Amino acid sequence: MGKPLLVVESPTKVRTIRRYLGDRFAVAATMGHVKDLPTTKLGVDVAQGFAPQYVKIKGREKVLAAIVKAARAADAVYLAPDPDREGEAIAYHVAEELRDVGVPVHRVLFHEITRQGIEKGLAEPRAIDRPKFESQQARRILDRLVGYELSPVLWKKVQRGLSAGRVQSVAVRLIVERERAIRAFVPQEYWHVFAALAPAERPEAGSFRAQLTRIDGEPAKIGSAEEATRVREELERSAFRAAKLEEKTRSRRAPPPYITSRLQQDASARFHFSARRTMQTAQQLYEGVEIGNGGPTGLITYMRTDSTRVSESAVAACRAFVGRAFGAAALPARPNVFASRAGAQDAHEAIRPTDVELTPEKVSRHLTPDQAKLYGLIWRRFVASQMKPAVYAIQAVEVEARPESSGGRTFRLRATSSRLAEPGWLAVYGEEAETGDGSRPGDGDEGPRNGDGNGAASKGTPNGDDPDAGCVAAALPALRPDEPLRLVPPGVSGEQKFTQPPARFTEGSLVREMEERGIGRPSTYASIVSTILQRRYVRKVEQKLQPTELGELVTDRLVQHFPRILDPQFTARMEEDLDRVEGQKVDWHALLGEFYEPFHADVQRAMREMVDVRSEKVETGEKCERCGAPLLRRWGRAGWFLACSAFPNCTFSKDLPGADGTPAAPLPDVSGVTCPTCGKPMTVRRGRFGAFLACTGYPACKTTRPLPTGVKCPRPSCGGDIVERRTRNGKTYWECSKRVRVRAPAKDAEAAAAAGKGAQRAKAAAKAAPAKAAPAKAQPAEGCDFVTWRKPVPRACPRCGAPYLVEARVRGGVAVVCDDRECGYREVPAAAGEASGAAPAEE
């Protein structure tokens, strides 16, 4: 017999592992899952206990055959897909294929792709964890049942091509409900009142600004300008004194090392990474990258985890590093230990660097920009987790203001100052250490405990959670107890404020919301967010998630007819039940049976009772601008619109205002543009991919053209128009109308042709463009090659005379700039969200 065979998921891992194992093992990759439910049918025999009907995934047949062939020449097989439920399913399906080979099959777990991690995994082989596989299988069957039975309802009652999912639909509901809360929000006016004060007899001591916090012992609530004016007048007639002086310290605890959701939140907040982009980058760091030491090196531990646990050896290495780099004073007496949230799986460690000695400064030059950013975040968070709390010196003064004459009210004002006395963990993490949800690390319930279980630091930020915190100053003058104070310029002032609506979700804050509600798991957050964006139920506006009209419509229909499936609490309980399957506390057949019967009844009822949105024709009271017939509110692929009731004799239609009540964006004037096919005038229409030119002779003539921008192509002797286009995944870009795009033949096409699978299939594969392709990847053949991500503006540059300007995303909004970077012309940015333009940085 030959040497043992080690099977992993990724070809990248193969390269890294071969570096450590040399010729001791043959190493092969499955390229992900090798078996799944069929794509053309349900693939679940409900009558036979929900028996799944697995088939080999298309394109994996040769991979499986190669693994079986290698196994026949091996003396043992070690299955090492990722250490989670999906990895367990891959291992199970590969083991099934090897059942008749007759060699021992073992399951091994690699929590980090390092020499130590690989040797440790190989030294601890075990059997495949069947309960974990059954948990994954139950989830897959459950999602298939929901998707295959809900989606046809939407196809029939809303529009073809839609999909629904057990978790994705709940995620869309959260976004829809947040958006409606924003629309329903009514701002409330309130005022802050301040007084500029100084010691009455020692003006040289300096002045400070105090905020009014209480009136006659009750919290100060000032809701109008009139009330603010009365309060200011009373304060101006009052006598002030320093009623209470405080000096204390307050600690900020070190944050725990990252779990998956927190990493996604911080990467979203700091770098505007999508959840998928974060996980793809983390996967690269886990599987191994070249850092100039002779081969690929795994830089972080496994990145799908909800546990804050860290191995004793890693803690010891971290503490040793902190002692050398920051001194013994930065180390707590005992290692910091962090409590994982309730229900955490705790199967894997927290996300941490595999070698704390590999600092970001040492490896960043070998990494891509995304890898360097994410590795730096993970490394700093881990090192900070084993450092002392940051300590702030807090000074506070409470000022009492009493009326000089009887009958007035008594006021309390407060001012505080905060100074970082001991940096602690902030020495590595940075003083402005904000997390993805907008809070500061250590403010929640994840703070460290010393080894004896006692709290290591007090909860809260330097300014505390006290509603009477008052003004925060860099420093306060040296005051004396009961010292009289006097007003100094600018005296008493007021500041008008308005309550703010809830913020739209970012990808990071949506992940946090799902985590807190128990919806989804670390391995699914990124795919859920990516799916609802791809399905066009949600769109991104300035990095915030906003539901589309389609998303709101589908959510309303599903909530009405499937309240249980769309209930976040029900979804969370189902996640808990799937965890209990893994813990052998629930039989997966019984779980699916309990779910399916009422769900299937709801599906049948919805097929009968759900109103077909395409048949709804609601009168609006408006008249057709062309023929005077009533206008009807109707649903189309691009959303709600107004259409003439005399159709097809009259084809007039127009957009409705946005769901938030804002007017529909005005369509450009294209008078004088004629159809190149039939000569009739062309008009602007809106479709699911935006505005376009359409022939008014439709349906007899179906000619369409992209929308011109009014900007001519800058290429010499071209003369084409710059037109707006969209990629297959919805990104907007602009190119010359004469641009010819030719892509290199796909390898899949060549392989298909060589295998004799037909010219049509080969031709189709060659023409297929990758979903993530950007327009810049298209190779110009004959014709113009001008293309840009930045929206052209039909105005000449006043500095260099360039024929057009472009919109560029900058801090604070969108600026109009010259496309020639050497020119440097730039106009003041518009308010955020007022202009559309540059494509987002992430996928």
Side-chain angles (χ1 to χ4, degrees), residues 409-432:
R409 295 182 289 183
T410 300
F411 302 94
R412 282 270 176 169
L413 301 91
R414 185 175 173 88
T416 62
S417 72
S418 173
R419 176 179 59 84
L420 182 62
E422 298 176 15
W425 62 276
L426 291 177
V428 66
Y429 208 83
E431 187 166 356
E432 294 303 318

Side-chain angles (χ1 to χ4, degrees), residues 261-269 436-437 508-509 511-512 515:
S261 60
R262 296 292 191 270
L263 178 62
Q264 291 173 350
Q265 291 160 40
D266 273 17
S268 172
D437 61 348
S509 61
V511 167
R512 180 177 180 83
E515 179 195 32

Side-chain angles (χ1 to χ4, degrees), residues 22-84:
D23 294 331
R24 292 165 48 198
F25 284 75
V27 188
T30 67
M31 312 292 289
H33 280 276
V34 293
K35 286 185 176 181
D36 196 8
L37 300 176
T39 58
T40 56
K41 61 180 181 178
L42 178 62
V44 178
D45 192 338
V46 175
Q48 297 298 320
F50 302 96
Q53 301 166 1
Y54 290 112
V55 297
K56 294 176 184 177
I57 295 175
K58 187 176 181 181
R60 297 289 189 271
E61 299 92 339
K62 291 183 178 179
V63 172
L64 267 175
I67 291 173
V68 171
K69 182 179 179 180
R72 294 187 188 279
D75 56 11
V77 177
Y78 293 84
L79 302 177
D82 287 348
D84 57 12

